[in-house]
Amino acid sequence: MNATMLRQLWSTVEETQTQTLRSLDDTSLVEQLLENLQQKRPLAGDDMEELANYIRSHLILIRELAEGRLRSMA
């Protein structure tokens, strides 16, 4: 996975609605983020699998970021 893909992923996480990040189950959240990434840039099958694994390993951080957004809005 290259730096551009990582930047696009984290940009996508920031652009995704907080409620979506908090409410979806793990599998649905991974699928949603991959779908959002696909809309920005077509991804090869290997890239999709690598990104899916990366997202799965960072789900706690993604959800903590969403919680932090809620706290800062309150």
Side-chain angles (χ1 to χ4, degrees):
M1 182 176 341
N2 62 41
T4 301
M5 257 197 284
L6 282 174
R7 276 193 297 277
Q8 287 178 334
L9 169 62
W10 288 106
S11 173
T12 300
V13 169
E14 287 298 316
E15 294 166 1
T16 303
Q17 291 184 357
T18 302
Q19 188 58 31
T20 300
L21 296 173
R22 295 179 66 235
S23 65
L24 294 176
D25 62 74
D26 291 353
T27 301
S28 298
L29 181 53
V30 171
E31 290 171 1
Q32 179 69 48
L33 291 172
L34 287 174
E35 183 179 311
N36 292 352
L37 276 168
Q38 277 282 91
Q39 291 174 1
K40 293 180 181 184
R41 163 189 169 162
L43 299 168
D46 290 344
D47 291 337
M48 292 280 284
E49 188 59 34
E50 192 173 4
L51 279 166
N53 289 333
Y54 181 86
I55 293 167
R56 279 186 212 98
S57 70
H58 288 80
L59 284 172
I60 293 171
L61 175 60
I62 290 168
R63 289 205 166 92
E64 285 177 356
L65 288 170
E67 290 294 327
R69 277 193 230 166
L70 277 180
R71 284 191 290 272
S72 69
M73 293 169 57

